[in-house]
Amino acid sequence: MEFASEPKRHSPDVTDSTRDAGLSVTSPSSPWSSPNSAAAAAAAGRTPSASSPRSVYSDRYIPHRTRNLAGGVSFRSTVQALNKSFEAAAGVQEEAQASNDAKDEIGKMTYNMLLRNEVLGGHIDTIKDERFGSAAELDDAETENLFRFKADHTRATGASEPASPFSLSPVGVNSQKLLSSPRKTPRKISKHPFKVLDAPDLRDDFYLHLVDWSSQNVLCVGLESCVYLWSACTSQVTKLCDMRGEADAVTSVRWMQRGSHLAVGTSSGLVQIWDAQKCKLVRTMTGHTGRVGAISWNGNTFASGSRDRNILLRDVRVSDNSTGRLSAHKQEVCGLEWSPDGLSLASGGNDNKLFVWNVATSSPMHRFSEHKAAVKAIAWSPHQHGLLASGGGTADQCIRFWNTLTGQPIQCVDTKSQVCNLAWSKTSNELVSTHGYSQNQVIVWRYPSMTQVATLTGHTTRVLYLAMSPDGQTIVTGAGDETLRFWNVFSKSRSTVEAHSALNMFSHIR
């Protein structure tokens, strides 16, 4: 078999074709071209082009940062893009790792700040609390053109003061201060509960308060028509009461601040006072015509809020069922909290209103109507006098802070989910919030920046119940998934540490 040979294709001479067209082709000038290139061009009959004098470039492809050049890439936008990529990468890594190493995190943060000093010209000389600083720190180093490929013999140190000519450090002055600054190890909060207890028949009702922790380290839980006590010291469970025979159900529980007395609200509108140490019913108080969903103690007195829209003030030392009545809510009262000084009472209702009462008068001292859903979560700050925090339901999803001394709003934070409970830390200026639809998470916040210290997940339904241990370190959360989860979120009290110190001479006196 014979194969036909392919005809050879003739490559046209580029030089000849361009000459015929009356065009001259010259090779582009190059930094590495020979000095005799011009003479060679003349010998070939070509005239060198009368171009502008050539700039001298270096022989390396090195990016150079310069200031105030027209055009180019915006330095601010580039820094912001870098910050977003850093934060996104950090978020993915945090989700991938169940438990992150605190030392590794502070090392990464220091390394990022060091890079910003040396590469991006930042003026960072101390380690910040936030993982990455804002772009405002680079205002002095902002340029209009990010890269310029020309040799430069000057080195930008990114420091506000000139570096010493005798310094042997490869980094700038600010970076040296950054590396030598004291490092505070961030607090590590476990993302997993250290204990989980089953709570069968724990009701999934937003308007109830069925979990509370006493000053004697006993946890109280209301399950349908029964009240159970769980000792955190011995893990012993005691059944306090059963209302099945009375065709009643538990709707709220609240411990007295000191002692072993417990107030139990019921669906029929009764409030029972129990001596938990003796497991004995002390008295039953009437007055409400609807379920009692909120109770708050103030010494020997307490306030109870009901579906009948009324708040009753009660004193266990007198025989009367109530000593006062507060009526301003248009719907069920679902949140009650006394201020730490015992002079003000905050109430939240299903009418989306938050009222602050002075018990000396029968009308609210302040009326706040900014929430767009039921206000159940209420918490007074133990660190700042007159500071009140409140949280709204599904249609609101916001945590708001109020100055009750002036009646002015302070701050609002959108949490993107239903706010069910709020509680301040006893030892630090932080607070914890529990949430329902749609993420069912527990968030620890740092006030007043309202940065999230930790986000805890595990509950499969709304986290409707929250209580704090007497030492302020542990919280317990309850949900409609019929579980109680215990979390270590706050640091130990300073007073507790000092009481056991060897330098405290009074701790050894008998």
Side-chain angles (χ1 to χ4, degrees):
M1 182 179 295
E2 297 180 359
F3 296 88
S5 60
E6 182 180 0
K8 296 182 180 180
R9 299 178 180 177
H10 176 69
S11 301
D13 188 9
V14 177
T15 305
D16 295 338
S17 61
T18 52
R19 285 176 180 174
D20 294 339
L23 302 177
S24 62
V25 178
T26 59
S27 60
S29 60
S30 170
W32 302 279
S33 57
S34 171
N36 299 325
S37 58
R46 298 190 299 271
T47 303
S49 58
S51 60
S52 59
R54 277 182 286 167
S55 300
V56 179
Y57 287 84
S58 65
D59 60 345
R60 296 183 182 180
Y61 190 74
I62 301 176
H64 166 65
R65 293 135 191 91
T66 185
R67 294 175 179 269
N68 302 326
L69 292 178
V73 183
S74 173
F75 191 49
R76 177 183 293 275
S77 62
T78 306
V79 171
Q80 293 177 351
L82 288 174
N83 285 338
K84 291 182 180 179
S85 63
F86 288 158
E87 292 173 355
V92 172
Q93 183 179 8
E94 186 176 0
E95 291 293 335
Q97 295 180 351
S99 58
N100 51 359
D101 190 2
K103 294 183 179 180
D104 186 53
E105 289 296 324
I106 196 68
K108 292 179 181 178
M109 182 175 62
T110 306
Y111 179 68
N112 284 324
M113 292 181 180
L114 182 64
L115 285 180
R116 292 183 63 182
N117 275 349
E118 297 303 311
V119 179
L120 303 179
H123 294 172
I124 307 173
D125 55 4
T126 57
I127 299 177
K128 310 294 182 183
D129 290 338
E130 289 77 15
R131 185 170 297 175
F132 303 104
S134 61
E137 296 172 351
L138 302 177
D139 286 344
D140 296 337
E142 183 175 356
T143 61
E144 297 296 335
N145 197 350
L146 183 60
F147 296 110
R148 173 176 173 235
F149 307 103
K150 188 171 182 179
D152 183 35
H153 301 287
T154 62
R155 175 177 178 175
T157 62
S160 57
E161 56 184 90
S164 172
F166 305 103
S167 176
L168 300 179
S169 176
V171 295
V173 176
N174 282 330
S175 297
Q176 296 178 32
K177 294 180 180 179
L178 176 67
L179 295 175
S180 61
S181 62
R183 299 186 177 109
K184 181 180 180 181
T185 304
R187 186 173 81 254
K188 181 181 178 182
I189 298 178
S190 175
K191 299 298 183 66
H192 304 281
F194 66 89
K195 183 186 290 292
V196 179
L197 298 178
D198 290 328
D201 298 328
L202 184 62
R203 298 174 63 180
D204 186 9
D205 194 326
F206 177 78
Y207 301 98
L208 306 185
H209 294 78
L210 298 177
V211 178
D212 197 23
W213 208 326
S214 75
S215 59
Q216 297 182 349
N217 213 9
V218 177
L219 185 69
C220 174
V221 183
L223 303 177
E224 282 293 343
S225 58
C226 301
V227 177
Y228 291 90
L229 306 179
W230 178 80
S231 174
C233 300
T234 63
S235 298
Q236 181 180 357
V237 178
T238 304
K239 186 177 182 180
L240 180 64
C241 64
D242 192 344
M243 302 179 184
R244 294 176 185 174
E246 305 168 6
D248 211 345
V250 180
T251 55
S252 59
V253 293
R254 197 65 182 267
W255 288 100
M256 199 175 185
Q257 286 99 332
R258 295 178 179 86
S260 59
H261 285 80
L262 174 71
V264 179
T266 69
S267 59
S268 62
L270 301 177
V271 177
Q272 298 179 355
I273 308 299
W274 286 81
D275 187 343
Q277 190 171 3
K278 301 178 181 178
C279 292
K280 180 182 178 181
L281 177 61
V282 177
R283 65 181 297 185
T284 300
M285 310 181 79
T286 61
H288 288 296
T289 58
R291 69 179 183 186
V292 180
I295 298 175
S296 181
W297 284 88
N298 183 19
N300 292 315
T301 65
F302 68 93
S304 60
S306 171
R307 182 179 275 180
D308 63 10
R309 302 172 294 179
N310 293 320
I311 301 172
L312 295 183
L313 304 178
R314 308 174 184 268
D315 194 333
V316 295
R317 298 167 296 182
V318 300
S319 59
D320 296 336
N321 286 315
S322 64
T323 59
R325 181 185 297 267
L326 306 177
S327 300
H329 287 284
K330 303 301 181 182
Q331 294 189 36
E332 180 176 5
V333 179
C334 51
L336 280 178
E337 283 296 333
W338 283 98
S339 61
D341 57 8
L343 300 178
S344 301
L345 175 66
S347 64
N350 198 31
D351 55 0
N352 309 342
K353 299 296 189 296
L354 173 67
F355 296 151
V356 178
W357 305 80
N358 186 342
V359 295
T361 61
S362 58
S363 59
M365 182 172 52
H366 300 297
R367 299 172 181 260
F368 302 117
S369 57
E370 282 78 358
H371 284 291
K372 300 177 182 179
V375 183
K376 175 192 176 185
I378 302 174
W380 291 88
S381 171
H383 313 291
Q384 184 174 343
H385 180 60
L387 176 60
L388 177 65
S390 61
T394 306
D396 185 73
Q397 302 181 350
C398 292
I399 299 176
R400 297 179 181 270
F401 297 89
W402 316 89
N403 185 345
T404 60
L405 302 180
T406 61
Q408 298 297 321
I410 300 177
Q411 190 176 0
C412 177
V413 178
D414 188 0
T415 65
K416 308 298 182 183
S417 59
Q418 180 188 38
V419 183
C420 301
N421 295 279
L422 288 172
W424 289 87
S425 169
K426 298 179 180 180
T427 59
S428 60
N429 207 17
E430 298 175 345
L431 73 158
V432 60
S433 61
T434 68
H435 300 269
Y437 301 120
S438 58
Q439 302 179 37
N440 307 323
Q441 77 274 37
V442 181
I443 303 179
V444 182
W445 307 84
R446 181 179 292 111
Y447 184 82
S449 63
M450 290 306 289
T451 55
Q452 295 187 15
V453 180
T455 300
L456 313 176
T457 57
H459 285 290
T460 57
T461 59
R462 298 182 296 174
V463 188
L464 297 175
Y465 310 110
L466 170 68
M468 186 178 296
S469 63
D471 61 3
Q473 298 184 61
T474 305
I475 62 170
V476 58
T477 56
D481 57 9
E482 299 183 347
T483 61
L484 297 174
R485 299 174 184 264
F486 294 79
W487 317 79
N488 280 326
V489 295
F490 294 125
S491 58
K492 186 176 296 184
S493 174
R494 294 181 179 178
S495 59
T496 304
V497 176
E498 293 175 357
H500 295 84
S501 174
L503 300 178
N504 187 358
M505 64 180 68
F506 299 102
S507 61
H508 300 285
I509 297 179
R510 297 182 178 178

